[in-house]
Amino acid sequence: MQTRRIGPFEVSCLGMGCMNLNHAYGVPPPPEQAEQVILAALDAGVTLFDTAALYGMGSNEPLVGRVLKPHRRNITLASKGGMAAVKGEDGVARRVIDGRPEAIVRDCENSLRSLQTDVIDVYYLHRWDKKVPIEESVGAISRLVEQGKVRAVGLSEVSAGTIRKAHKVHPIAAVQTEYSLWTRNPEIAVLDACKEIGAAFVAFSPLARGFLCDAVHDVTAFVPNDIRRAMPRFAPDHYTENLKLLPRYKAIAREAGCTPAQLALAWLLHKRADIVPIPGTSKVEHLTENMKAADVKLSPDTMAALEEHVNQRTVHGNRYSQQSRTEVDTEEF
């Protein structure tokens, strides 16, 4: 597989987002199936694996760590802290954003144990806790670098201004934000900020949470714990309008000789050489399909046609609920 750079690491041009294996999109696959997907990614040449303390309310990192432990020297392992599942007095784990230095150290130590490793290659601040100056949160991660527990520092869902502030404290190797044809917010300022400081841009949800691979046909069938139930773009009224984009989009994929999922990933790979998409899936066949996107060639005319057809003007609804929008720092159109 072709490679790209994240800080000091040379990684596969397509990484694997591991969240889907037990978080976010309804009933997770059985553990043995999740393991098969991770191993299939290794076989396909994937060397970048992305997880987080929060995923699966703490269960994703142990899965990823167990399966990847025998292959640790051959991969780049990324995780995130500053947002984790924290048990309250009632014993129930709840999602908490906490960017205080002591919380970040706690999250990192827990992640090291869960991942069964002595160092995390790329450690992201999962969310900027706006009650804590970004300099303090990044300063805590920089001290973890000094201690040899983290190799490179990343940020997630932050604005260009926040990126520059953080970079003054410690070099930022990667910035991770949602980016796809239907979520173009990074084009406002973050992509340019990454280029300015030499950071890679890691694109999560590059398949638009299933939309761009034509996998979501009935939004009323989402199970109660599917996070898309709270996303305005998947609300029935908005989604009815968004579905009108698919016929032309799928026609462009046929013209390009690829599947809709491969088209979405190939578009990102063609945009810039510093972009590393991290699609996630819970099925081996989808993993195999996604990885073949690295071989898809798109002409300038095809790129232009895609961008004209699916963009912030043609997509209906915000990507996040109002509550979630207050928790991120990314620019909005």
Side-chain angles (χ1 to χ4, degrees), residues 252-320:
I252 295 174
R254 289 193 296 272
E255 293 164 8
C258 63
T259 68
Q262 290 165 353
L263 183 64
L265 296 171
W267 175 78
L268 280 167
L269 291 173
H270 280 67
K271 284 295 287 184
R272 284 175 31 164
D274 59 353
I275 294 175
V276 182
I278 51 169
T281 183
S282 60
K283 295 181 172 61
V284 170
E285 56 268 32
H286 291 166
L287 182 282
T288 302
E289 175 189 349
N290 291 345
M291 293 306 117
K292 292 179 180 177
D295 299 322
V296 174
K297 305 299 181 186
L298 300 180
S299 69
D301 287 346
T302 299
M303 292 287 288
L306 282 170
E307 293 177 14
E308 179 62 27
H309 183 60
V310 184
N311 57 59
Q312 69 275 11
R313 298 183 305 277
T314 63
V315 173
H316 287 248
N318 287 310
R319 70 184 181 109
Y320 281 149

Coordinates of all heavy atoms in Angstrom, one line a residue, residues 252-320:
I252 N -21.4 8.7 -11.0 CA -20.0 9.1 -11.1 C -19.0 8.0 -10.7 O -18.0 7.8 -11.3 CB -19.7 10.4 -10.2 CG1 -20.5 11.6 -10.7 CG2 -18.2 10.7 -10.2 CD1 -20.4 12.8 -9.8
A253 N -19.4 7.2 -9.7 CA -18.6 6.1 -9.2 C -18.5 5.0 -10.4 O -17.4 4.5 -10.6 CB -19.2 5.4 -8.0
R254 N -19.6 4.8 -11.0 CA -19.6 3.8 -12.1 C -18.7 4.3 -13.2 O -17.9 3.5 -13.8 CB -21.0 3.6 -12.6 CG -21.9 2.8 -11.7 CD -23.2 2.3 -12.4 NE -24.0 3.4 -12.8 CZ -25.0 4.0 -12.0 NH1 -25.2 3.5 -10.8 NH2 -25.7 5.0 -12.5
E255 N -18.8 5.6 -13.5 CA -18.0 6.2 -14.6 C -16.5 6.1 -14.2 O -15.6 5.9 -15.1 CB -18.3 7.6 -14.8 CG -19.7 7.8 -15.4 CD -20.2 9.3 -15.2 OE1 -19.4 10.1 -14.8 OE2 -21.4 9.5 -15.5
A256 N -16.2 6.2 -12.9 CA -14.8 6.1 -12.5 C -14.3 4.6 -12.3 O -13.1 4.4 -12.0 CB -14.6 6.8 -11.2
G257 N -15.2 3.7 -12.5 CA -14.9 2.3 -12.4 C -14.6 1.8 -10.9 O -13.8 0.9 -10.7
C258 N -15.4 2.4 -10.0 CA -15.2 2.0 -8.6 C -16.5 2.0 -7.8 O -17.6 2.4 -8.4 CB -14.2 2.9 -7.9 SG -14.8 4.6 -7.8
T259 N -16.5 1.5 -6.6 CA -17.7 1.5 -5.8 C -17.9 2.9 -5.2 O -17.0 3.7 -5.1 CB -17.6 0.5 -4.7 OG1 -16.6 0.9 -3.7 CG2 -17.3 -0.9 -5.2
P260 N -19.1 3.2 -4.7 CA -19.3 4.5 -4.0 C -18.4 4.7 -2.9 O -17.9 5.9 -2.7 CB -20.8 4.4 -3.6 CG -21.5 3.5 -4.6 CD -20.4 2.5 -4.9
A261 N -18.1 3.7 -2.1 CA -17.2 3.9 -0.9 C -15.8 4.2 -1.4 O -15.1 5.1 -0.9 CB -17.2 2.6 -0.1
Q262 N -15.4 3.5 -2.4 CA -14.0 3.7 -3.0 C -13.9 5.1 -3.5 O -12.9 5.8 -3.4 CB -13.7 2.7 -4.0 CG -13.5 1.3 -3.4 CD -13.5 0.2 -4.5 OE1 -13.8 0.5 -5.7 NE2 -13.2 -1.0 -4.1
L263 N -15.0 5.6 -4.1 CA -15.0 7.0 -4.7 C -14.8 8.0 -3.6 O -14.0 9.0 -3.8 CB -16.3 7.2 -5.4 CG -16.4 8.6 -6.2 CD1 -15.4 8.7 -7.3 CD2 -17.8 8.8 -6.7
A264 N -15.5 7.9 -2.5 CA -15.4 8.8 -1.4 C -13.9 8.9 -0.8 O -13.4 9.9 -0.6 CB -16.3 8.5 -0.3
L265 N -13.3 7.7 -0.7 CA -12.0 7.6 -0.1 C -10.9 8.1 -1.2 O -10.0 8.8 -0.8 CB -11.7 6.2 0.3 CG -12.5 5.6 1.4 CD1 -12.3 4.1 1.6 CD2 -12.2 6.4 2.7
A266 N -11.1 7.8 -2.4 CA -10.2 8.2 -3.5 C -10.3 9.7 -3.6 O -9.2 10.4 -3.8 CB -10.6 7.6 -4.8
W267 N -11.4 10.3 -3.4 CA -11.5 11.8 -3.5 C -10.6 12.4 -2.4 O -9.9 13.4 -2.7 CB -13.0 12.2 -3.3 CG -13.1 13.7 -3.2 CD1 -13.1 14.6 -4.2 CD2 -13.3 14.5 -2.0 NE1 -13.2 15.9 -3.8 CE2 -13.3 15.9 -2.4 CE3 -13.3 14.2 -0.7 CZ2 -13.5 16.9 -1.5 CZ3 -13.5 15.2 0.3 CH2 -13.6 16.6 -0.2
L268 N -10.7 11.9 -1.2 CA -9.8 12.4 -0.1 C -8.3 12.2 -0.4 O -7.5 13.1 -0.2 CB -10.2 11.7 1.2 CG -11.4 12.3 1.9 CD1 -11.8 11.3 3.0 CD2 -11.2 13.6 2.5
L269 N -8.0 11.0 -0.9 CA -6.6 10.8 -1.2 C -6.0 11.7 -2.4 O -4.9 12.0 -2.4 CB -6.4 9.3 -1.6 CG -6.6 8.3 -0.5 CD1 -6.6 6.9 -1.1 CD2 -5.6 8.4 0.6
H270 N -6.9 12.1 -3.3 CA -6.5 12.9 -4.4 C -6.5 14.4 -3.9 O -5.8 15.2 -4.6 CB -7.5 12.8 -5.5 CG -7.2 11.6 -6.4 ND1 -7.4 10.3 -5.9 CD2 -6.8 11.5 -7.7 CE1 -7.1 9.5 -6.9 NE2 -6.7 10.1 -8.0
K271 N -7.2 14.8 -2.9 CA -7.2 16.2 -2.5 C -5.8 16.7 -2.1 O -5.4 17.8 -2.6 CB -8.2 16.4 -1.3 CG -9.6 16.3 -1.6 CD -10.1 17.4 -2.5 CE -10.2 18.8 -1.8 NZ -10.7 19.9 -2.7
R272 N -5.1 16.0 -1.2 CA -3.8 16.5 -0.8 C -3.0 15.3 -0.3 O -3.6 14.3 0.2 CB -3.9 17.5 0.4 CG -4.4 18.9 -0.1 CD -4.6 19.9 0.9 NE -3.9 19.9 2.1 CZ -3.8 20.9 3.0 NH1 -4.4 22.0 2.7 NH2 -3.1 20.8 4.1
A273 N -1.7 15.4 -0.4 CA -0.8 14.3 0.0 C -0.7 14.2 1.5 O -0.1 13.2 2.0 CB 0.5 14.5 -0.6
D274 N -1.2 15.2 2.3 CA -1.0 15.1 3.7 C -2.3 14.7 4.4 O -2.4 14.7 5.7 CB -0.6 16.5 4.3 CG -1.6 17.6 4.0 OD1 -2.5 17.4 3.2 OD2 -1.4 18.7 4.5
I275 N -3.3 14.2 3.7 CA -4.5 13.7 4.2 C -4.5 12.2 4.3 O -4.1 11.5 3.4 CB -5.7 14.1 3.3 CG1 -5.9 15.6 3.4 CG2 -7.0 13.4 3.8 CD1 -7.0 16.1 2.4
V276 N -4.8 11.7 5.5 CA -4.9 10.2 5.8 C -6.3 9.9 6.3 O -6.6 10.1 7.4 CB -3.8 9.8 6.8 CG1 -3.9 8.3 7.0 CG2 -2.4 10.2 6.4
P277 N -7.1 9.3 5.4 CA -8.4 8.9 5.8 C -8.4 7.6 6.7 O -7.5 6.8 6.5 CB -9.2 8.6 4.5 CG -8.3 9.2 3.4 CD -6.9 9.1 4.0
I278 N -9.3 7.6 7.7 CA -9.3 6.4 8.6 C -10.8 5.8 8.6 O -11.5 5.9 9.6 CB -8.8 6.7 10.0 CG1 -9.5 7.9 10.6 CG2 -7.3 6.9 10.0 CD1 -9.3 8.1 12.1
P279 N -11.2 5.2 7.5 CA -12.5 4.6 7.5 C -12.6 3.5 8.5 O -11.6 2.8 8.8 CB -12.6 4.0 6.0 CG -11.2 3.8 5.6 CD -10.4 4.9 6.3
G280 N -13.8 3.3 9.0 CA -14.1 2.2 9.9 C -15.1 1.3 9.4 O -16.0 1.7 8.6
T281 N -15.1 0.1 9.8 CA -16.1 -0.9 9.4 C -16.1 -2.1 10.4 O -15.2 -2.3 11.1 CB -15.9 -1.4 8.0 OG1 -16.9 -2.3 7.6 CG2 -14.5 -2.2 7.9
S282 N -17.2 -2.8 10.4 CA -17.3 -4.0 11.2 C -17.3 -5.3 10.4 O -17.6 -6.4 10.9 CB -18.5 -3.9 12.1 OG -19.7 -3.8 11.3
K283 N -17.1 -5.1 9.1 CA -17.2 -6.3 8.2 C -15.9 -6.4 7.3 O -15.4 -5.4 6.8 CB -18.4 -6.2 7.2 CG -19.7 -6.2 8.0 CD -20.9 -6.2 7.0 CE -22.2 -6.4 7.7 NZ -22.5 -5.4 8.7
V284 N -15.4 -7.6 7.2 CA -14.1 -7.9 6.5 C -14.3 -7.5 5.0 O -13.4 -6.9 4.4 CB -13.7 -9.3 6.6 CG1 -12.6 -9.6 5.6 CG2 -13.2 -9.6 8.0
E285 N -15.5 -7.8 4.4 CA -15.7 -7.5 3.0 C -15.7 -6.0 2.7 O -15.2 -5.5 1.7 CB -17.0 -8.1 2.5 CG -18.2 -7.7 3.2 CD -18.6 -8.7 4.4 OE1 -17.7 -9.2 5.0 OE2 -19.8 -8.8 4.6
H286 N -16.2 -5.2 3.7 CA -16.2 -3.8 3.5 C -14.7 -3.2 3.7 O -14.3 -2.3 3.0 CB -17.1 -3.1 4.5 CG -18.5 -3.3 4.2 ND1 -19.5 -3.1 5.1 CD2 -19.2 -3.9 3.1 CE1 -20.7 -3.4 4.6 NE2 -20.5 -3.9 3.4
L287 N -14.0 -3.8 4.6 CA -12.6 -3.4 4.8 C -11.8 -3.7 3.5 O -11.1 -2.8 3.1 CB -12.0 -4.3 6.0 CG -10.6 -4.0 6.5 CD1 -9.5 -4.7 5.6 CD2 -10.3 -2.6 6.7
T288 N -12.0 -4.8 2.9 CA -11.3 -5.1 1.7 C -11.7 -4.2 0.6 O -10.8 -3.7 -0.2 CB -11.6 -6.6 1.3 OG1 -11.3 -7.5 2.3 CG2 -10.9 -7.0 0.0
E289 N -12.9 -3.9 0.5 CA -13.4 -2.9 -0.5 C -12.8 -1.5 -0.3 O -12.3 -0.9 -1.3 CB -14.9 -2.8 -0.5 CG -15.5 -1.7 -1.4 CD -17.0 -1.5 -1.1 OE1 -17.6 -2.3 -0.4 OE2 -17.5 -0.5 -1.7
N290 N -12.8 -1.1 0.9 CA -12.3 0.3 1.2 C -10.8 0.4 0.8 O -10.3 1.4 0.3 CB -12.4 0.6 2.7 CG -13.9 0.8 3.1 OD1 -14.7 1.0 2.3 ND2 -14.1 0.7 4.4
M291 N -10.0 -0.6 1.2 CA -8.6 -0.5 0.9 C -8.2 -0.4 -0.6 O -7.2 0.1 -0.9 CB -7.8 -1.7 1.6 CG -7.9 -1.8 3.1 SD -7.3 -0.2 3.8 CE -8.8 0.4 4.7
K292 N -9.1 -0.9 -1.4 CA -8.8 -0.9 -2.9 C -9.0 0.5 -3.4 O -8.6 0.8 -4.5 CB -9.7 -1.8 -3.6 CG -9.4 -3.3 -3.3 CD -10.4 -4.2 -4.1 CE -10.0 -5.7 -3.8 NZ -11.0 -6.6 -4.4
A293 N -9.5 1.4 -2.6 CA -9.6 2.8 -3.0 C -8.3 3.5 -3.3 O -8.2 4.4 -4.0 CB -10.3 3.6 -1.9
A294 N -7.2 2.9 -2.7 CA -5.9 3.5 -2.9 C -5.4 3.3 -4.3 O -4.5 4.0 -4.8 CB -4.9 2.8 -1.9
D295 N -6.1 2.4 -5.1 CA -5.7 2.2 -6.5 C -6.5 2.9 -7.4 O -6.3 2.9 -8.7 CB -5.7 0.7 -6.8 CG -4.8 -0.1 -5.9 OD1 -3.7 0.4 -5.6 OD2 -5.1 -1.2 -5.5
V296 N -7.6 3.6 -7.0 CA -8.5 4.3 -7.9 C -7.9 5.7 -8.3 O -7.4 6.4 -7.5 CB -9.8 4.6 -7.1 CG1 -10.8 5.5 -8.0 CG2 -10.5 3.3 -6.8
K297 N -8.0 5.9 -9.6 CA -7.5 7.2 -10.2 C -8.6 8.0 -10.6 O -9.5 7.6 -11.3 CB -6.6 6.9 -11.4 CG -5.4 5.9 -11.1 CD -4.4 6.5 -10.0 CE -3.3 5.5 -9.8 NZ -2.4 6.0 -8.7
L298 N -8.6 9.3 -10.1 CA -9.7 10.2 -10.5 C -9.1 11.4 -11.3 O -8.1 11.9 -10.9 CB -10.3 10.8 -9.2 CG -11.0 9.7 -8.3 CD1 -11.6 10.4 -7.1 CD2 -12.0 8.9 -9.0
S299 N -9.8 11.7 -12.4 CA -9.4 12.8 -13.2 C -9.8 14.1 -12.6 O -10.7 14.2 -11.7 CB -10.0 12.7 -14.6 OG -11.4 12.9 -14.5
P300 N -9.1 15.2 -13.0 CA -9.6 16.5 -12.5 C -11.0 16.8 -12.7 O -11.7 17.4 -11.9 CB -8.6 17.5 -13.2 CG -7.4 16.7 -13.5 CD -7.9 15.3 -13.8
D301 N -11.5 16.4 -13.9 CA -12.9 16.6 -14.2 C -13.8 15.8 -13.2 O -14.9 16.3 -12.8 CB -13.2 16.1 -15.6 CG -12.7 17.1 -16.7 OD1 -12.3 18.2 -16.3 OD2 -12.6 16.7 -17.9
T302 N -13.5 14.6 -12.9 CA -14.2 13.8 -11.9 C -14.2 14.5 -10.6 O -15.2 14.6 -9.9 CB -13.7 12.4 -11.8 OG1 -13.8 11.8 -13.1 CG2 -14.5 11.6 -10.8
M303 N -13.1 14.9 -10.1 CA -12.9 15.6 -8.8 C -13.9 16.9 -8.8 O -14.6 17.1 -7.8 CB -11.5 16.0 -8.6 CG -10.5 14.9 -8.4 SD -10.7 14.1 -6.8 CE -10.1 15.4 -5.7
A304 N -13.8 17.6 -9.9 CA -14.7 18.8 -9.9 C -16.2 18.5 -9.9 O -17.0 19.1 -9.3 CB -14.3 19.6 -11.2
A305 N -16.5 17.4 -10.7 CA -17.9 17.0 -10.7 C -18.4 16.6 -9.3 O -19.5 16.9 -8.9 CB -18.1 15.9 -11.7
L306 N -17.6 15.8 -8.6 CA -17.9 15.4 -7.2 C -18.1 16.6 -6.3 O -19.1 16.7 -5.6 CB -16.8 14.5 -6.7 CG -16.8 13.1 -7.2 CD1 -15.5 12.4 -6.7 CD2 -18.0 12.3 -6.7
E307 N -17.2 17.5 -6.4 CA -17.2 18.7 -5.4 C -18.4 19.6 -5.7 O -18.9 20.2 -4.8 CB -15.9 19.4 -5.5 CG -14.8 18.5 -4.9 CD -13.4 19.2 -5.0 OE1 -13.4 20.4 -5.2 OE2 -12.4 18.5 -4.8
E308 N -18.8 19.7 -7.0 CA -19.9 20.5 -7.3 C -21.2 19.8 -6.9 O -22.2 20.5 -6.6 CB -19.9 20.7 -8.8 CG -21.1 21.6 -9.3 CD -21.1 23.0 -8.7 OE1 -20.1 23.5 -8.4 OE2 -22.2 23.6 -8.6
H309 N -21.3 18.5 -6.9 CA -22.5 17.8 -6.6 C -22.8 17.6 -5.1 O -23.9 17.7 -4.7 CB -22.5 16.4 -7.3 CG -23.7 15.6 -7.1 ND1 -25.0 16.1 -7.6 CD2 -24.0 14.4 -6.6 CE1 -25.9 15.2 -7.3 NE2 -25.3 14.2 -6.7
V310 N -21.7 17.3 -4.4 CA -21.9 17.1 -2.9 C -21.0 18.1 -2.2 O -19.8 18.0 -2.2 CB -21.5 15.6 -2.5 CG1 -21.8 15.4 -1.0 CG2 -22.2 14.6 -3.4
N311 N -21.7 19.0 -1.5 CA -20.9 20.0 -0.8 C -21.8 20.7 0.3 O -23.0 20.3 0.4 CB -20.4 21.1 -1.8 CG -21.5 21.7 -2.6 OD1 -22.4 22.3 -2.0 ND2 -21.4 21.6 -3.9
Q312 N -21.3 21.7 1.0 CA -22.0 22.3 2.1 C -23.3 23.0 1.6 O -24.2 23.2 2.4 CB -21.1 23.3 2.8 CG -20.7 24.5 2.1 CD -19.5 24.3 1.2 OE1 -19.1 23.2 1.0 NE2 -19.0 25.4 0.7
R313 N -23.4 23.3 0.3 CA -24.6 23.9 -0.2 C -25.7 22.9 -0.6 O -26.9 23.2 -0.6 CB -24.3 24.8 -1.4 CG -23.3 25.9 -1.2 CD -23.1 26.8 -2.4 NE -22.7 26.0 -3.5 CZ -21.4 25.6 -3.8 NH1 -20.5 25.9 -2.9 NH2 -21.1 24.9 -4.8
T314 N -25.3 21.7 -0.9 CA -26.3 20.7 -1.4 C -26.7 19.7 -0.3 O -27.7 19.0 -0.5 CB -25.7 20.0 -2.6 OG1 -24.5 19.2 -2.2 CG2 -25.4 20.9 -3.7
V315 N -25.9 19.6 0.8 CA -26.3 18.7 1.8 C -27.2 19.4 2.8 O -27.0 20.6 3.2 CB -25.0 18.2 2.6 CG1 -25.3 17.4 3.8 CG2 -24.2 17.4 1.6
H316 N -28.2 18.7 3.3 CA -29.2 19.3 4.2 C -28.9 18.9 5.6 O -28.7 17.7 5.9 CB -30.6 18.8 3.8 CG -31.1 19.5 2.6 ND1 -32.2 20.4 2.6 CD2 -30.7 19.3 1.3 CE1 -32.4 20.8 1.3 NE2 -31.6 20.2 0.5
G317 N -28.9 19.8 6.5 CA -28.8 19.6 8.0 C -27.4 19.7 8.5 O -26.4 19.5 7.7
N318 N -27.2 20.0 9.7 CA -25.9 20.1 10.4 C -25.4 18.7 10.6 O -26.1 17.7 10.7 CB -26.0 20.9 11.7 CG -26.2 22.4 11.5 OD1 -25.5 23.0 10.7 ND2 -27.2 22.9 12.2
R319 N -24.0 18.6 10.8 CA -23.4 17.3 11.0 C -23.6 16.9 12.4 O -23.7 15.7 12.7 CB -22.0 17.3 10.6 CG -21.1 18.1 11.6 CD -19.6 18.1 11.0 NE -18.7 18.9 11.9 CZ -17.8 18.3 12.6 NH1 -17.6 17.0 12.7 NH2 -17.0 19.1 13.3
Y320 N -23.7 17.8 13.4 CA -23.9 17.5 14.8 C -25.2 18.2 15.3 O -25.6 19.2 14.8 CB -22.7 18.0 15.6 CG -21.5 17.1 15.6 CD1 -20.2 17.7 15.7 CD2 -21.5 15.7 15.4 CE1 -19.0 17.0 15.6 CE2 -20.4 15.0 15.4 CZ -19.1 15.6 15.5 OH -18.0 14.8 15.5

